[in-house]
Amino acid sequence: MHAPTGNAATLPPQQSGTEDRAAQQPPAGVRAEATWWIWAMAGALFLAYTAVSLRIHEHLLSHSFDLGIFVQVVRSYAEGHLPVSEVKGPDFPVLGDHFSPVLAVLAPLYWLWPSVKLLLVAQAALIAAGVLPLAFWARRTLGPAAAVVIGVAYGLSWGIASGVAYDFHEWAFAVPLLAFSLTALGNGRLRAAAYWALPLVLVKEDLGLTVAVIGLVIAWRGGRGGRRLGLVTAATGLAASALAVLVLASFHPGGFDGYYASHHPGGTNGAADGGAGGGLLDLLHQGTLGLITPQEKVTTLLLMLAPTLFLALRSPLLLIALPTVLWRLASDYPAHWGTAYHYALPIMPIVFAAFVDALSRRGAHGRSLYRYLAGSAAVTLLLLPHFPLWQLFQPQVWQSDPRLAVARGVMAEIPDGATVQASNNLGPHLVDRTSVSVYGWGDSRPDPEWIMVDTKVAPAHRWPLSVAQELIALDTARLRGYRTTAERDGFVLLRRTAGGAPVSAPRP
């Protein structure tokens, strides 16, 4: 296919030319002086993300699923072995869960700062870095006002806010890679677009499909010169995803069938009907009508595009979001359908890159451009109070939680290296120095040396046991040889006595 027509920012190299692109740029000294505020904007977003995630953690609202898991992964790499997670199960091989070897790059930092907080700060930095290429692109092609609005709208978008506020996830690495790759693609720098995209295959197994679509868009927009590069990139992405699935299947305790049963639409583990789903009819439904039902899926799609006033639909760059969007909508796991959690992290840089591209292709300027920018800013501000970054403006977030001091005092009684079953919200505070699993989860390592439970955890964060189940489990533990060593402000600490029998909490 031939490359589409448009301004120089969207043409492939053989049509726009290196000299033409250089001629559009201001002198280097002027550019550095005029754009320091873009770096300041990224820095401010980094501080905001760091503050939100650390305050949530300090208020005992982070989770063993998933923050504790990722700390155990990074700690494994730092100790020089393949990643395992006690939170997932006894010596559970995490490469059988998701293929994310990129997490190993955090190991050297973990040597310097062996803390759960390292992961939260690193995530904030990675996500904030995504604003840089988008804002610089917008400034170069649309002007400083566009750079401000698009940078802030991206940085405060609900997908970014939800990801920052829910623990740490490997997708944080995908955010800057996608932002840089799509910015290069939008500016006709095809090789740079491919080089920025290829590391995505090390972030998560499904992102090879995203790389494949990036390759196809390179082939489409690059004309004859970019066709070979695009097809090679697409083939590499597909091959990487296929290889990652084979790696996952080989490490998964249930083998190939176990991996697909627990991770994919139509599987028998986690269907929306309680696990009775699966089979050809279920797959057919999920791939057709199931993509837009229930209504929550449509709402999420609308909210993805609303900050761009739906102009992102006019850019072929939006096609790059299709693999992630489709597997979310086809999933049988309800958490994938909505706006909570981290699932929109790899989508937001694509949506805003498509927004910049669409505005550039339309040649928007003057009043027309300002109307689009004003609309985007308005939607961003309207959505902001409904998502976690708004917590920065809530006084209670900045108040110290007196229970945290009590929790730390109780935790101090647990020696380093001990095996512990802890409440889901307490695990992240113990994971750096003990072997932690989740209290009450059926797959946790039995017969731990210590049990620590937060009996006053908020109902919205209580998992996996109900209040009644937790009381029964604690009484059962005491009957089987555990004794209470501390009980303060709702925190209960039990220690296994010599000869104590293994304890198994009831399944939720």
Side-chain angles (χ1 to χ4, degrees):
M1 299 183 68
H2 296 290
T5 59
N7 63 33
T10 62
L11 293 177
Q14 65 269 29
Q15 290 177 289
S16 60
T18 303
E19 295 134 349
D20 290 341
R21 287 199 306 277
Q24 295 171 4
Q25 312 260 352
V30 174
R31 185 164 65 251
E33 181 181 356
T35 57
W36 63 267
W37 51 269
I38 294 180
W39 291 92
M41 178 169 58
L45 289 169
F46 163 70
L47 293 177
Y49 301 155
T50 301
V52 167
S53 58
L54 290 181
R55 294 310 296 168
I56 288 173
H57 178 67
E58 291 297 311
H59 282 269
L60 301 178
L61 296 177
S62 55
H63 310 83
S64 296
F65 275 81
D66 293 318
L67 183 55
I69 292 173
F70 284 108
V71 175
Q72 289 174 336
V73 169
V74 174
R75 185 176 171 184
S76 295
Y77 282 124
E79 293 172 352
H81 58 79
L82 290 177
V84 295
S85 173
E86 285 290 293
V87 172
K88 292 288 294 184
D91 298 319
F92 186 93
V94 177
L95 286 179
D97 187 31
H98 290 299
F99 184 73
S100 303
V102 70
L103 293 170
V105 305
L106 294 178
L109 297 176
Y110 194 81
W111 297 336
L112 301 174
W113 186 20
S115 169
V116 62
K117 295 179 181 179
L118 166 68
L119 275 68
L120 299 176
V121 173
Q123 175 171 261
L126 288 165
I127 295 175
V131 77
L132 294 172
L134 296 173
F136 277 110
W137 180 17
R139 179 188 177 278
R140 185 170 59 251
T141 58
L142 301 168
V148 172
V149 172
I150 289 170
V152 172
Y154 158 82
L156 301 182
S157 62
W158 64 265
I160 296 296
S162 296
V164 166
Y166 191 76
D167 296 345
F168 170 92
H169 296 90
E170 68 278 87
W171 269 330
F173 286 92
V175 172
L177 292 173
L178 284 166
F180 278 102
S181 177
L182 271 62
T183 296
L185 181 53
N187 284 276
R189 295 181 289 112
L190 305 184
R191 288 190 180 277
Y195 293 155
W196 279 111
L198 288 172
L200 289 168
V201 303
L202 303 177
V203 176
K204 204 155 180 268
E205 65 276 3
D206 60 291
L207 288 176
L209 302 179
T210 301
V211 173
V213 179
I214 291 175
L216 294 177
V217 175
I218 289 174
W220 174 25
R221 300 188 73 172
R224 183 176 302 174
R227 190 168 298 144
R228 180 179 178 182
L229 173 66
L231 293 178
V232 170
T233 301
T236 302
L238 289 174
S241 273
L243 179 62
V245 169
L246 293 176
V247 170
L248 290 167
S250 65
F251 277 92
H252 194 281
F256 195 79
D257 292 338
Y259 170 73
Y260 275 94
S262 61
H263 287 74
H264 294 273
T268 58
N269 189 15
D273 59 1
L280 182 59
L281 290 178
D282 183 61
L283 285 172
L284 181 62
H285 169 77
Q286 289 174 295
T288 54
L289 186 61
L291 293 176
I292 56 173
T293 56
Q295 185 179 344
E296 183 180 11
K297 297 179 180 181
V298 177
T299 301
T300 298
L301 286 174
L302 293 176
L303 288 176
M304 283 180 186
L305 298 170
T308 74
L309 305 184
F310 298 91
L311 280 179
L313 290 168
R314 301 194 176 201
S315 169
L317 297 184
L318 191 63
L319 294 171
I320 295 165
L322 275 180
T324 302
V325 171
L326 287 177
W327 78 249
R328 284 188 62 186
L329 299 181
S331 171
D332 55 13
Y333 182 44
H336 290 157
W337 308 336
T339 57
Y341 308 113
H342 55 285
Y343 300 110
L345 275 179
I347 295 176
M348 303 319 292
I350 300 173
V351 168
F352 280 92
F355 187 31
V356 177
D357 187 50
L359 289 173
S360 300
R361 290 160 62 87
R362 287 173 64 88
H365 62 279
R367 291 183 178 179
S368 173
L369 175 61
Y370 291 141
R371 282 197 297 268
Y372 291 131
L373 296 178
S376 178
V379 172
T380 300
L381 292 176
L382 285 172
L383 293 177
L384 183 61
H386 302 283
F387 292 95
L389 288 179
W390 190 250
Q391 295 181 37
L392 291 172
F393 303 100
Q394 307 300 311
Q396 62 269 27
V397 171
W398 301 103
Q399 297 170 358
S400 58
D401 187 349
R403 294 191 74 232
L404 180 60
V406 177
R408 285 174 173 165
V410 175
M411 290 178 192
E413 299 187 29
I414 303 174
D416 293 351
T419 57
V420 185
Q421 280 191 19
S423 294
N424 186 37
N425 65 316
L426 298 180
H429 296 265
L430 288 162
V431 72
D432 293 322
R433 61 182 188 85
T434 66
S435 179
V436 175
S437 54
V438 177
Y439 184 65
W441 197 49
D443 289 337
S444 290
R445 184 182 292 276
D447 195 21
E449 297 171 290
W450 298 82
I451 294 173
M452 184 170 176
V453 178
D454 181 359
T455 62
K456 290 186 178 181
V457 65
H461 299 276
R462 175 173 286 280
W463 180 87
L465 299 180
S466 67
V467 174
Q469 289 173 326
E470 188 172 83
L471 289 173
I472 293 172
L474 288 172
D475 288 340
T476 301
R478 292 184 179 103
L479 290 173
R480 294 188 177 184
Y482 284 78
R483 65 179 179 85
T484 303
T485 62
E487 189 167 1
R488 299 194 293 272
D489 201 8
F491 297 107
V492 178
L493 181 64
L494 305 181
R495 182 179 183 180
R496 191 184 68 215
T497 58
V503 56
S504 296
R507 289 180 178 269

